[in-house]
Structures are given as structure tokens and as C-alpha cells.
Amino acid sequence: LWVRIQHQGHSRDRTKRETERLELKILVGTNLERLSRLEGVTVTKYQDHVLPAILKQLINCKDSIAQEYLMDCIIQVFPDEFHLKTLDMFLDTCCQPQGTVNVRNIIISIIGRLSNYAQADATNIPEEIELFQIFSGKVTQIIQSRTEMPPEDILALQSALIKLALNVYPAETSYVDQVLQNTFNIFEEEKGRAKGCSAELSRMLRVPIDHYGDILTILQLEHFTPLFSFLDYKIRKELCVYIAEHVIQADTHIDSHDQVDLFFVMISCLIADQPDQSAEPEDPEDFEIEQSLVGRLVHQLTSSVPDQQFLILNMCKKHLMSGGDKRIQYTLPSLIFRAMELCRVYHD
């Protein structure tokens, strides 16, 4: 009735019909909430009878507003343990609603709920339930099946997966890298799909930076820096400044020349001219601030082993010299002072 009433009656009765439909919507939600509280609704009964019946109604109604509301009701009113036991069934249904249904919000909602449940007590999630892998697989499937999905929705889903991995599996950096790799593959296959979403992608990349608080962990993520290629120049440079400031504020020391190489590649926007940057001259004051920041970074690249420090300084020289005369006047003095310090160490 709730679905049918939308298409019944004359157009002049539209306001009255919408009021009646809202009342029916509240009635549907209230009944689902009452159903969730019945003592006889066990996990098994919910899995075998209740959820399949609701999902059947949901799919058959073919109304996007009803589908989205019903799925949100399911997430909100039934217990977390029920969702864990029926996660595959529920997520499979997410692939079937009308194309206009905002699947993004539904998936993010269920990820958030189960993430909070897992954080409350790690034993809440049975070992046999690979929460991250289940969500990752279904999100990939949904993105592939919905070729019209906006890039900002794709990034919102991927950000939710990153937060799930960070909160529930903090030791598994490979999970975060897996999300980054999947995101790269999606945008690499369809170059135009990433257009216009630099701000959203930048926000996604800041999530692991803020969580780990350690650039050394970020450098271990193989697919982090490649995503920079989908950022426009302005957003990319802002992110590089954010990373550089983060390293200095956290007083992080990068102590191997290989890591220094990876780090300079990551912040290359601050190190040398880029093919996609504007032909117009940069603001002199902003440029000076950015290059002074790079000069301060040199002091964070340090090793207690003299020979390793020598390799680090050589790597610094390789990257900094690519910046040209306009940059080295700000960056080279720091490198020279570090070289003089190393000379004293060798002399002693």
C-alpha cells in the first residue's frame, strides 16, 4: 500500500497523498522495530524467515524510496549479531535495488555499525567472519555493476573501507593498501571517471595519514603515492604541504635512503616543476613558504649511522637539484649544513 499509494489518485490530491504516504512509512518502520523486539525472533529465525521475507518485499516493490528506507530500517532496528550472521545475504541484496537507490549510504551505514560493534569488543566478531574481505568484495562488485556511479560515491565507499580496516584491523596495513590499489585500478581503467573528484580523493588519502600519525607507515603503502596522479595540481600540492607539515610537527625521522627516495617522490610537487602546473608564475610568498618547508624537511632525514647518512644526503641532493635555481636557494643551505655536520662526525 505504501508503494502503490504514490501512483494513485489525481495530481491535485498529491499533497494529501504524500501526507498519507509519510504516515504509512512511519507505520512500516514502527512495525519493523516492534518485530525486532519480539522474543521469538532469534538469530536463526531472523536468518531463515524474517530477513528473506523483508528482502523479498524490498526487491519486488521496485520503488527506490521504499527500498532505501527499508534497508536503512533493517540496519538500524535489528541487533548487530543478526547483521553478522546475514551479512552476505544483505549485501547481495544491495546489488539488486533500483539504480536510483543511494547504495552508498546503505553500505556506509552497515560498515559503520559493525565497525563500532567490533571496536566495542574485539571478540564480537567471530574469527570465521572476515569482515573486511566481505565488505571489500561486495563494494568492488557494486562499483563494477553500477558503471554510472559518481566518482564521489566510489570514494566515499572506499573511505569507509579504509576506516573499517584502520579501526577493526589496525595491524593489517595490507588491508588499507588493498583499498588504495582497488581505487587506483578503478580510475586507471576509466581515466575520465576520476575527473572532478580531486578534493574527495585528497580527503580519502588524509584518513590513513591522520590515523597512523607516522609517515613511515604511509611509505609502506605501495599504492598510496600512485593515486596522486588522479589529483589536479593545486589539490596535489596542498596534500604535499599537508604531509610535509605533518612530518615536521610529529618530528618524524626518516633514516634510510630508500625511504627518503620514496618520500621525495611522494611530495614531488614541492620539489620540482610539474607537467600539469599552470604556466603563470606562482605567488612569491607562497612559493617561499613551501620551499622553506622543504628545507626544514632535510633536517628530518637523518640516520645515526654515518655511511647511511651519507647515502641519505646524496639522495637529497639528487632530488633537490632537480628543482632548479629558483628552489635550491631555499633548500640547498639545509643540505650543506647537514653535510658539514656529517664531515665533523667522520673527522671525529
Side-chain angles (χ1 to χ4, degrees), residues 206 208-215 240-252 293 297:
R206 291 182 190 221
I209 295 172
D210 294 339
H211 179 88
Y212 290 127
D214 179 10
I215 197 64
C240 290
V241 169
Y242 183 79
I243 291 170
E245 289 176 340
H246 199 283
V247 170
I248 292 170
Q249 290 169 6
D251 195 26
T252 303
L293 188 64
L297 280 174

PDB file of all heavy atoms in Angstrom, residues 206 208-215 240-252 293 297:
ATOM      1  N   ARG A 206      43.989  11.454   3.205  1.00  0.00           N
ATOM      2  CA  ARG A 206      44.363  12.016   4.512  1.00  0.00           C
ATOM      3  C   ARG A 206      43.940  11.118   5.674  1.00  0.00           C
ATOM      4  O   ARG A 206      44.477  11.249   6.774  1.00  0.00           O
ATOM      5  CB  ARG A 206      43.739  13.403   4.692  1.00  0.00           C
ATOM      6  CG  ARG A 206      44.342  14.455   3.760  1.00  0.00           C
ATOM      7  CD  ARG A 206      43.727  15.822   4.001  1.00  0.00           C
ATOM      8  NE  ARG A 206      44.132  16.757   2.945  1.00  0.00           N
ATOM      9  CZ  ARG A 206      44.464  18.022   3.158  1.00  0.00           C
ATOM     10  NH1 ARG A 206      44.442  18.512   4.379  1.00  0.00           N
ATOM     11  NH2 ARG A 206      44.808  18.814   2.151  1.00  0.00           N
ATOM     12  N   PRO A 208      44.367   7.743   6.298  1.00  0.00           N
ATOM     13  CA  PRO A 208      45.465   6.971   6.901  1.00  0.00           C
ATOM     14  C   PRO A 208      46.586   7.847   7.460  1.00  0.00           C
ATOM     15  O   PRO A 208      47.224   7.470   8.445  1.00  0.00           O
ATOM     16  CB  PRO A 208      45.970   6.090   5.748  1.00  0.00           C
ATOM     17  CG  PRO A 208      45.492   6.747   4.501  1.00  0.00           C
ATOM     18  CD  PRO A 208      44.212   7.430   4.866  1.00  0.00           C
ATOM     19  N   ILE A 209      46.831   9.014   6.855  1.00  0.00           N
ATOM     20  CA  ILE A 209      47.857   9.918   7.385  1.00  0.00           C
ATOM     21  C   ILE A 209      47.502  10.327   8.808  1.00  0.00           C
ATOM     22  O   ILE A 209      48.329  10.263   9.732  1.00  0.00           O
ATOM     23  CB  ILE A 209      47.999  11.174   6.495  1.00  0.00           C
ATOM     24  CG1 ILE A 209      48.506  10.807   5.100  1.00  0.00           C
ATOM     25  CG2 ILE A 209      48.951  12.184   7.141  1.00  0.00           C
ATOM     26  CD1 ILE A 209      48.494  11.964   4.121  1.00  0.00           C
ATOM     27  N   ASP A 210      46.253  10.748   8.998  1.00  0.00           N
ATOM     28  CA  ASP A 210      45.810  11.196  10.318  1.00  0.00           C
ATOM     29  C   ASP A 210      45.755  10.050  11.316  1.00  0.00           C
ATOM     30  O   ASP A 210      46.049  10.237  12.501  1.00  0.00           O
ATOM     31  CB  ASP A 210      44.426  11.852  10.216  1.00  0.00           C
ATOM     32  CG  ASP A 210      44.457  13.146   9.407  1.00  0.00           C
ATOM     33  OD1 ASP A 210      45.548  13.731   9.283  1.00  0.00           O
ATOM     34  OD2 ASP A 210      43.398  13.560   8.900  1.00  0.00           O
ATOM     35  N   HIS A 211      45.386   8.867  10.848  1.00  0.00           N
ATOM     36  CA  HIS A 211      45.250   7.728  11.763  1.00  0.00           C
ATOM     37  C   HIS A 211      46.610   7.223  12.237  1.00  0.00           C
ATOM     38  O   HIS A 211      46.837   7.054  13.438  1.00  0.00           O
ATOM     39  CB  HIS A 211      44.491   6.587  11.085  1.00  0.00           C
ATOM     40  CG  HIS A 211      44.332   5.376  11.963  1.00  0.00           C
ATOM     41  ND1 HIS A 211      43.280   5.226  12.832  1.00  0.00           N
ATOM     42  CD2 HIS A 211      45.117   4.264  12.123  1.00  0.00           C
ATOM     43  CE1 HIS A 211      43.403   4.074  13.487  1.00  0.00           C
ATOM     44  NE2 HIS A 211      44.510   3.475  13.066  1.00  0.00           N
ATOM     45  N   TYR A 212      47.514   6.990  11.300  1.00  0.00           N
ATOM     46  CA  TYR A 212      48.818   6.439  11.669  1.00  0.00           C
ATOM     47  C   TYR A 212      49.686   7.476  12.377  1.00  0.00           C
ATOM     48  O   TYR A 212      50.465   7.129  13.265  1.00  0.00           O
ATOM     49  CB  TYR A 212      49.547   5.914  10.431  1.00  0.00           C
ATOM     50  CG  TYR A 212      48.937   4.667   9.835  1.00  0.00           C
ATOM     51  CD1 TYR A 212      48.594   4.609   8.488  1.00  0.00           C
ATOM     52  CD2 TYR A 212      48.707   3.535  10.608  1.00  0.00           C
ATOM     53  CE1 TYR A 212      48.037   3.469   7.923  1.00  0.00           C
ATOM     54  CE2 TYR A 212      48.144   2.392  10.056  1.00  0.00           C
ATOM     55  CZ  TYR A 212      47.819   2.367   8.713  1.00  0.00           C
ATOM     56  OH  TYR A 212      47.264   1.239   8.163  1.00  0.00           O
ATOM     57  N   GLY A 213      49.576   8.733  11.946  1.00  0.00           N
ATOM     58  CA  GLY A 213      50.405   9.771  12.541  1.00  0.00           C
ATOM     59  C   GLY A 213      51.889   9.545  12.307  1.00  0.00           C
ATOM     60  O   GLY A 213      52.736  10.073  13.024  1.00  0.00           O
ATOM     61  N   ASP A 214      52.204   8.747  11.296  1.00  0.00           N
ATOM     62  CA  ASP A 214      53.600   8.352  11.062  1.00  0.00           C
ATOM     63  C   ASP A 214      53.801   8.149   9.566  1.00  0.00           C
ATOM     64  O   ASP A 214      53.245   7.223   8.973  1.00  0.00           O
ATOM     65  CB  ASP A 214      53.898   7.060  11.830  1.00  0.00           C
ATOM     66  CG  ASP A 214      55.313   6.559  11.620  1.00  0.00           C
ATOM     67  OD1 ASP A 214      56.124   7.299  11.031  1.00  0.00           O
ATOM     68  OD2 ASP A 214      55.607   5.428  12.037  1.00  0.00           O
ATOM     69  N   ILE A 215      54.588   9.003   8.959  1.00  0.00           N
ATOM     70  CA  ILE A 215      54.808   8.913   7.515  1.00  0.00           C
ATOM     71  C   ILE A 215      55.534   7.628   7.135  1.00  0.00           C
ATOM     72  O   ILE A 215      55.418   7.148   6.003  1.00  0.00           O
ATOM     73  CB  ILE A 215      55.603  10.154   7.013  1.00  0.00           C
ATOM     74  CG1 ILE A 215      55.475  10.284   5.482  1.00  0.00           C
ATOM     75  CG2 ILE A 215      57.062  10.068   7.426  1.00  0.00           C
ATOM     76  CD1 ILE A 215      54.085  10.545   5.009  1.00  0.00           C
ATOM     77  N   CYS A 240      50.641  17.625  -0.518  1.00  0.00           N
ATOM     78  CA  CYS A 240      52.081  17.515  -0.259  1.00  0.00           C
ATOM     79  C   CYS A 240      52.502  18.424   0.897  1.00  0.00           C
ATOM     80  O   CYS A 240      53.315  18.029   1.747  1.00  0.00           O
ATOM     81  CB  CYS A 240      52.879  17.860  -1.520  1.00  0.00           C
ATOM     82  SG  CYS A 240      52.731  16.625  -2.841  1.00  0.00           S
ATOM     83  N   VAL A 241      51.968  19.632   0.935  1.00  0.00           N
ATOM     84  CA  VAL A 241      52.254  20.555   2.037  1.00  0.00           C
ATOM     85  C   VAL A 241      51.744  19.960   3.348  1.00  0.00           C
ATOM     86  O   VAL A 241      52.418  20.015   4.387  1.00  0.00           O
ATOM     87  CB  VAL A 241      51.610  21.937   1.778  1.00  0.00           C
ATOM     88  CG1 VAL A 241      51.680  22.806   3.026  1.00  0.00           C
ATOM     89  CG2 VAL A 241      52.300  22.632   0.611  1.00  0.00           C
ATOM     90  N   TYR A 242      50.550  19.372   3.297  1.00  0.00           N
ATOM     91  CA  TYR A 242      49.953  18.743   4.490  1.00  0.00           C
ATOM     92  C   TYR A 242      50.861  17.633   5.017  1.00  0.00           C
ATOM     93  O   TYR A 242      51.091  17.525   6.220  1.00  0.00           O
ATOM     94  CB  TYR A 242      48.580  18.192   4.124  1.00  0.00           C
ATOM     95  CG  TYR A 242      47.806  17.585   5.275  1.00  0.00           C
ATOM     96  CD1 TYR A 242      47.129  18.388   6.179  1.00  0.00           C
ATOM     97  CD2 TYR A 242      47.753  16.202   5.454  1.00  0.00           C
ATOM     98  CE1 TYR A 242      46.407  17.837   7.231  1.00  0.00           C
ATOM     99  CE2 TYR A 242      47.046  15.644   6.497  1.00  0.00           C
ATOM    100  CZ  TYR A 242      46.367  16.471   7.377  1.00  0.00           C
ATOM    101  OH  TYR A 242      45.669  15.910   8.420  1.00  0.00           O
ATOM    102  N   ILE A 243      51.377  16.814   4.112  1.00  0.00           N
ATOM    103  CA  ILE A 243      52.261  15.713   4.507  1.00  0.00           C
ATOM    104  C   ILE A 243      53.563  16.255   5.099  1.00  0.00           C
ATOM    105  O   ILE A 243      54.032  15.775   6.139  1.00  0.00           O
ATOM    106  CB  ILE A 243      52.560  14.812   3.283  1.00  0.00           C
ATOM    107  CG1 ILE A 243      51.296  14.062   2.859  1.00  0.00           C
ATOM    108  CG2 ILE A 243      53.683  13.822   3.597  1.00  0.00           C
ATOM    109  CD1 ILE A 243      51.418  13.332   1.534  1.00  0.00           C
ATOM    110  N   ALA A 244      54.144  17.251   4.430  1.00  0.00           N
ATOM    111  CA  ALA A 244      55.403  17.830   4.911  1.00  0.00           C
ATOM    112  C   ALA A 244      55.237  18.432   6.301  1.00  0.00           C
ATOM    113  O   ALA A 244      56.075  18.219   7.196  1.00  0.00           O
ATOM    114  CB  ALA A 244      55.891  18.889   3.924  1.00  0.00           C
ATOM    115  N   GLU A 245      54.160  19.176   6.499  1.00  0.00           N
ATOM    116  CA  GLU A 245      53.906  19.773   7.822  1.00  0.00           C
ATOM    117  C   GLU A 245      53.675  18.690   8.870  1.00  0.00           C
ATOM    118  O   GLU A 245      54.094  18.839  10.027  1.00  0.00           O
ATOM    119  CB  GLU A 245      52.678  20.693   7.739  1.00  0.00           C
ATOM    120  CG  GLU A 245      52.946  21.965   6.943  1.00  0.00           C
ATOM    121  CD  GLU A 245      51.707  22.826   6.788  1.00  0.00           C
ATOM    122  OE1 GLU A 245      50.584  22.288   6.958  1.00  0.00           O
ATOM    123  OE2 GLU A 245      51.855  24.031   6.489  1.00  0.00           O
ATOM    124  N   HIS A 246      53.026  17.621   8.479  1.00  0.00           N
ATOM    125  CA  HIS A 246      52.760  16.515   9.394  1.00  0.00           C
ATOM    126  C   HIS A 246      54.066  15.881   9.875  1.00  0.00           C
ATOM    127  O   HIS A 246      54.229  15.561  11.053  1.00  0.00           O
ATOM    128  CB  HIS A 246      51.883  15.463   8.696  1.00  0.00           C
ATOM    129  CG  HIS A 246      51.179  14.532   9.616  1.00  0.00           C
ATOM    130  ND1 HIS A 246      51.811  13.475  10.234  1.00  0.00           N
ATOM    131  CD2 HIS A 246      49.897  14.497  10.049  1.00  0.00           C
ATOM    132  CE1 HIS A 246      50.946  12.820  10.989  1.00  0.00           C
ATOM    133  NE2 HIS A 246      49.777  13.417  10.903  1.00  0.00           N
ATOM    134  N   VAL A 247      55.010  15.705   8.958  1.00  0.00           N
ATOM    135  CA  VAL A 247      56.313  15.111   9.297  1.00  0.00           C
ATOM    136  C   VAL A 247      57.058  15.989  10.303  1.00  0.00           C
ATOM    137  O   VAL A 247      57.622  15.501  11.283  1.00  0.00           O
ATOM    138  CB  VAL A 247      57.168  14.908   8.025  1.00  0.00           C
ATOM    139  CG1 VAL A 247      58.607  14.532   8.380  1.00  0.00           C
ATOM    140  CG2 VAL A 247      56.552  13.829   7.149  1.00  0.00           C
ATOM    141  N   ILE A 248      57.038  17.290  10.065  1.00  0.00           N
ATOM    142  CA  ILE A 248      57.752  18.217  10.951  1.00  0.00           C
ATOM    143  C   ILE A 248      57.077  18.306  12.323  1.00  0.00           C
ATOM    144  O   ILE A 248      57.738  18.247  13.361  1.00  0.00           O
ATOM    145  CB  ILE A 248      57.844  19.609  10.296  1.00  0.00           C
ATOM    146  CG1 ILE A 248      58.759  19.541   9.062  1.00  0.00           C
ATOM    147  CG2 ILE A 248      58.360  20.654  11.282  1.00  0.00           C
ATOM    148  CD1 ILE A 248      58.745  20.778   8.202  1.00  0.00           C
ATOM    149  N   GLN A 249      55.758  18.414  12.335  1.00  0.00           N
ATOM    150  CA  GLN A 249      55.032  18.531  13.600  1.00  0.00           C
ATOM    151  C   GLN A 249      55.166  17.267  14.455  1.00  0.00           C
ATOM    152  O   GLN A 249      55.259  17.339  15.680  1.00  0.00           O
ATOM    153  CB  GLN A 249      53.552  18.830  13.331  1.00  0.00           C
ATOM    154  CG  GLN A 249      53.319  20.237  12.786  1.00  0.00           C
ATOM    155  CD  GLN A 249      51.903  20.431  12.280  1.00  0.00           C
ATOM    156  OE1 GLN A 249      51.046  19.557  12.420  1.00  0.00           O
ATOM    157  NE2 GLN A 249      51.645  21.593  11.693  1.00  0.00           N
ATOM    158  N   ALA A 250      55.190  16.113  13.789  1.00  0.00           N
ATOM    159  CA  ALA A 250      55.316  14.848  14.517  1.00  0.00           C
ATOM    160  C   ALA A 250      56.768  14.520  14.834  1.00  0.00           C
ATOM    161  O   ALA A 250      57.050  13.536  15.529  1.00  0.00           O
ATOM    162  CB  ALA A 250      54.696  13.711  13.697  1.00  0.00           C
ATOM    163  N   ASP A 251      57.692  15.345  14.316  1.00  0.00           N
ATOM    164  CA  ASP A 251      59.135  15.130  14.496  1.00  0.00           C
ATOM    165  C   ASP A 251      59.537  13.721  14.069  1.00  0.00           C
ATOM    166  O   ASP A 251      60.266  13.008  14.755  1.00  0.00           O
ATOM    167  CB  ASP A 251      59.533  15.375  15.959  1.00  0.00           C
ATOM    168  CG  ASP A 251      61.050  15.517  16.117  1.00  0.00           C
ATOM    169  OD1 ASP A 251      61.711  15.907  15.143  1.00  0.00           O
ATOM    170  OD2 ASP A 251      61.558  15.192  17.221  1.00  0.00           O
ATOM    171  N   THR A 252      59.036  13.326  12.900  1.00  0.00           N
ATOM    172  CA  THR A 252      59.342  12.007  12.342  1.00  0.00           C
ATOM    173  C   THR A 252      60.709  12.039  11.665  1.00  0.00           C
ATOM    174  O   THR A 252      61.015  12.961  10.905  1.00  0.00           O
ATOM    175  CB  THR A 252      58.281  11.597  11.306  1.00  0.00           C
ATOM    176  OG1 THR A 252      56.996  11.621  11.923  1.00  0.00           O
ATOM    177  CG2 THR A 252      58.560  10.201  10.777  1.00  0.00           C
ATOM    178  N   LEU A 293      59.719  25.122   3.815  1.00  0.00           N
ATOM    179  CA  LEU A 293      59.223  23.893   4.432  1.00  0.00           C
ATOM    180  C   LEU A 293      60.059  22.696   3.985  1.00  0.00           C
ATOM    181  O   LEU A 293      60.428  21.837   4.797  1.00  0.00           O
ATOM    182  CB  LEU A 293      57.751  23.695   4.037  1.00  0.00           C
ATOM    183  CG  LEU A 293      56.978  22.564   4.717  1.00  0.00           C
ATOM    184  CD1 LEU A 293      56.862  22.806   6.214  1.00  0.00           C
ATOM    185  CD2 LEU A 293      55.572  22.459   4.093  1.00  0.00           C
ATOM    186  N   LEU A 297      62.483  20.089   6.085  1.00  0.00           N
ATOM    187  CA  LEU A 297      62.337  18.635   5.986  1.00  0.00           C
ATOM    188  C   LEU A 297      63.691  17.920   5.944  1.00  0.00           C
ATOM    189  O   LEU A 297      63.822  16.788   6.420  1.00  0.00           O
ATOM    190  CB  LEU A 297      61.538  18.261   4.726  1.00  0.00           C
ATOM    191  CG  LEU A 297      60.014  18.394   4.794  1.00  0.00           C
ATOM    192  CD1 LEU A 297      59.410  18.118   3.423  1.00  0.00           C
ATOM    193  CD2 LEU A 297      59.430  17.430   5.820  1.00  0.00           C
TER     194      LEU A 297
END
